[in-house]
Amino acid sequence: MSLVTRDVEILSDRFTPGFVLRGPVGGGEAMVLRSPWDGVELARVPTTTADDLDMVLDKARLAFESFRWTPAWRRAQILERASRLIEENAEQIARLIANESGKPLKDARIEASRGASTFRWAAEESKRTAGEIIEMDAEASGEHRFGWTIREPRGVIAAISPFNFPLNLAAHKVAPALAAANVVVLKPASQTPLTALRLAELLVEAGLPAHVIQVVVGPGSTLGAKLVKDERVNMVTFTGSPPVGRQIASDAGMKMVTLELGNNSATIVDEDAHLDLAVQRIVAGGYANSGQVCISVQRVVVHQKVYDEFMARLVPAVEALKLGDPLDESTDVSSLISAAEAERVRLWVEEAIEQGATLAVGGVDDDGRMRPTVLTDVTRDMKVCAREIFGPVLSILKARDLCEAVEISNDSDMGLQAGVFTKDLNKALYAAKRLEVGGVMINEVPTFRVDHMPYGGIKGSGIGREGLRFAIREMTEMKMVAIREMDWQTGGPPVDACAREPLGP
Ligand code: NAD
């Protein structure tokens, strides 16, 4: 049996003209991909069967045996070329993202540009994977020994990515894995395989040898689970929802696992905050990609003294956002990934209102689409606060002071990032120390990220860090090497090479 790939059948003219795409590995039944915005058929994508996956993993192991010895300069060159190719194809990639995920085109363009930057950083970091010198003689028994660590690739890395950043979240797994000389089997979300397939094509064009990256397409519950459990896989790097993350942690056995999961991100607006800046950033961070970002602003905790003033600025700014077709240049917010997700968000909002929340702006439009929404009079136990909403809905809470605001923010079983708006340095430092999250953004929303910074959560938000340098640490094994300094003739302690006398005490 040999590996089969069939081209993706493009069914719509919404992509760039003449667009063709090589398929995933596998001859399984094709699935039809539809636009989340209006249900139009976009493409027919072949899927990967269990037998196909078996062959993929054999090829991956074989590819690792040679790719692991690829010198750093060569890996850097391939990654740098990949970055350039993403830049050159940015518009085509942005349209792929917008079509398959429903992300507004202007956000999709930002994602394409960040994807290029992630690969550029990986190229840089691939030259800096060295270990460290260990002071062996810090312990008496370590005298006359010289020691250092080296970082070796883990092997075959299963990269499982979500639908909401089809390029850049795949890039955050693939780029550091390759930088550290691993090979990758990438399983994108079933809703968004096209961008991942295009990325793999560009990597091959950039010079990556055969089978160093392979893309498999199929359901997470079967294909994804099989990949996670397979003994030929050395590490699983996963971004997605908390329940699936927990399942993967239990399925993976002894493999290294990193999990980037969800959040119900809090942003604190203190009494001395720059309100215009806070409102502008909260609107950007709450509604980008229709709130389907793991670090979307979800809970806004406002000091009681500035609450009314804050709301008076927030509501018109949210009302001004335009809900529309993702391919329309002027669209700010589009549809959610599926009708089922829109229905879930609608039900959570309705339930909150039944429990006493007030709809300040938004709600469902005539076509059943979720408009940018703000809820006030919410309580912490309502689903819209306590769970990850993953939709265009902000919940506004009031706090007596910063201490209470921090306490409210920490009242969550997740902890990815948080934001604080204050002009007071002491308060900023207080919040930075007390907030229980993986990242604190001062005078910024939790949604802020540059691609080389360490990024990841605590509590239910996950295990491990992404961001190129930090991901490379997770994707390499540390090996300790120690050399005994000795006299070659006697086998005893070293002697001064000139005087042939014992060295030092
Ligand atoms: P999801 O968990 O439904 O799916 C993510 C991926 O896991 C998909 O490729 C899916 O096919 C696969 N999968 C599903 N079940 C599996 C299983 N049993 N074994 C192996 N793989 C399986 O997530 P989604 O709906 O695509 O994305 C939304 C979620 O992702 C949100 O919770 C969001 O917060 C989270 N997210 C987190 C980050 C972060 O960096 N922390 C970034 C983006 C999204």
Side-chain angles (χ1 to χ4, degrees):
M1 281 207 290
S2 64
L3 288 175
V4 182
T5 57
R6 281 184 287 143
D7 285 353
V8 170
E9 198 182 329
I10 301 295
L11 303 174
S12 158
D13 58 4
R14 293 181 180 182
F15 301 96
T16 41
F19 177 64
V20 284
L21 186 61
R22 205 169 150 72
V25 179
E29 202 179 322
M31 62 174 189
V32 173
L33 216 61
R34 290 174 184 276
S35 157
W37 169 250
D38 57 9
V40 159
E41 291 190 352
L42 297 173
R44 197 168 285 127
V45 188
T47 57
T48 307
T49 64
D51 286 346
D52 295 327
L53 182 63
D54 207 41
M55 286 185 280
V56 162
L57 288 167
D58 277 347
K59 295 278 183 198
R61 287 242 60 94
L62 214 62
F64 178 61
E65 288 318 315
S66 54
F67 189 66
R68 65 179 305 171
W69 307 116
T70 311
W73 69 265
R74 175 78 184 128
R75 301 195 308 266
Q77 193 181 56
I78 295 169
L79 292 164
E80 180 65 43
R81 274 190 202 145
S83 169
R84 263 204 317 272
L85 286 168
I86 293 171
E87 256 165 18
E88 284 164 23
N89 291 276
E91 187 58 23
Q92 179 199 64
I93 293 171
R95 293 188 86 81
L96 275 176
I97 295 171
N99 270 307
E100 64 177 351
S101 75
K103 178 175 288 190
L105 196 53
K106 55 187 175 190
D107 292 341
R109 288 189 179 125
I110 296 172
E111 185 180 345
S113 145
R114 282 183 58 190
S117 151
T118 300
F119 273 91
R120 199 166 42 248
W121 273 104
E124 286 299 316
E125 294 297 343
S126 65
K127 304 169 203 163
R128 294 195 276 266
T129 60
E132 59 182 303
I133 306 278
I134 305 296
E135 287 180 323
M136 302 299 285
D137 65 357
E139 185 66 50
S141 56
E143 261 188 69
H144 299 306
R145 280 167 170 81
F146 184 70
W148 72 97
T149 63
I150 52 178
R151 310 222 50 127
E152 296 187 331
R154 287 191 185 274
V156 175
I157 296 198
I160 304 181
S161 54
F163 74 82
N164 61 337
F165 284 84
L167 177 70
N168 203 32
L169 289 180
H172 268 291
K173 302 184 175 320
V174 173
L178 300 177
N182 295 287
V183 308
V184 183
V185 177
L186 170 62
K187 199 211 86 60
S190 310
Q191 303 97 321
T192 55
L194 302 182
T195 310
L197 289 165
R198 184 68 185 123
L199 173 64
E201 275 185 348
L202 292 177
L203 279 162
V204 171
E205 197 179 329
L208 208 61
H211 307 124
V212 171
I213 181 159
Q214 299 176 89
V215 182
V216 295
V217 170
S221 55
T222 49
L223 187 73
K226 191 170 163 52
L227 179 61
V228 167
K229 289 176 191 162
D230 198 286
E231 292 298 326
R232 287 163 289 185
V233 171
N234 303 94
M235 174 179 176
V236 180
T237 163
F238 171 77
T239 300
S241 58
V244 174
R246 245 169 259 128
Q247 181 67 46
I248 285 177
S250 86
D251 284 350
M254 291 290 285
K255 301 176 187 76
M256 173 74 181
V257 175
T258 56
L259 303 171
E260 295 289 343
L261 310 177
N263 201 31
N264 55 352
S265 308
T267 300
I268 296 174
V269 180
D270 199 26
E271 57 184 320
D272 64 353
H274 191 300
L275 287 187
D276 282 335
L277 174 71
V279 166
Q280 184 249 319
R281 298 304 297 147
I282 285 168
V283 170
Y287 301 106
N289 198 20
S290 310
Q292 299 170 116
V293 182
C294 49
I295 39 178
S296 282
V297 180
Q298 179 172 335
R299 297 174 296 152
V300 183
V301 191
V302 186
H303 194 291
Q304 58 184 2
K305 279 194 194 152
V306 293
Y307 184 86
D308 291 342
E309 209 183 324
F310 173 79
M311 287 305 296
R313 296 176 200 209
L314 179 71
V315 169
V318 175
E319 274 169 341
L321 293 173
K322 186 182 161 205
L323 174 68
D325 184 335
L327 294 179
D328 182 335
E329 303 276 347
S330 62
T331 291
D332 298 305
V333 176
S334 190
S335 54
L336 298 185
I337 188 71
S338 65
E341 275 296 280
E343 180 63 2
R344 177 189 58 78
V345 174
R346 185 184 68 76
L347 289 174
W348 286 19
V349 169
E350 263 179 29
E351 185 184 283
I353 293 168
E354 277 162 24
Q355 292 169 345
T358 306
L359 185 68
V361 53
V364 175
D365 75 0
D366 295 341
D367 299 320
R369 293 195 173 105
M370 205 63 215
R371 288 181 300 191
T373 295
V374 178
L375 292 172
T376 57
D377 305 315
V378 289
T379 54
R380 303 184 203 183
D381 54 340
M382 292 175 181
K383 278 190 198 132
V384 291
C385 279
R387 305 206 355 214
E388 179 185 42
I389 191 147
F390 227 56
V393 181
L394 292 181
S395 287
I396 319 292
L397 298 119
K398 209 184 275 186
R400 276 191 313 278
D401 55 22
L402 181 69
C403 296
E404 193 190 33
V406 169
E407 190 264 313
I408 293 172
S409 304
N410 287 343
D411 187 10
S412 167
D413 53 13
M414 295 169 269
L416 190 46
Q417 295 208 130
V420 186
F421 285 87
T422 176
K423 292 182 193 135
D424 184 327
L425 183 59
N426 284 331
K427 287 181 173 179
L429 293 174
Y430 172 87
K433 273 192 197 162
R434 300 295 174 101
L435 283 166
E436 295 165 0
V437 284
V440 176
M441 305 295 124
I442 312 277
N443 289 319
E444 187 50 276
V445 282
T447 328
F448 181 79
R449 178 181 187 186
V450 285
D451 290 291
H452 60 293
M453 76 184 211
Y455 177 77
I458 61 168
K459 302 201 269 188
S461 288
I463 303 170
R465 292 293 177 270
E466 290 198 335
L468 288 309
R469 182 150 59 97
F470 310 95
I472 286 172
R473 275 188 212 159
E474 314 273 14
M475 292 175 170
T476 47
E477 297 272 11
M478 186 190 290
K479 182 185 271 178
M480 174 72 208
V481 184
I483 298 187
R484 178 201 286 269
E485 291 179 276
M486 57 186 264
D487 179 66
W488 295 109
Q489 285 165 3
T490 66
V495 293
D496 183 315
C498 300
R500 300 221 47 84
E501 281 169 6
L503 275 179

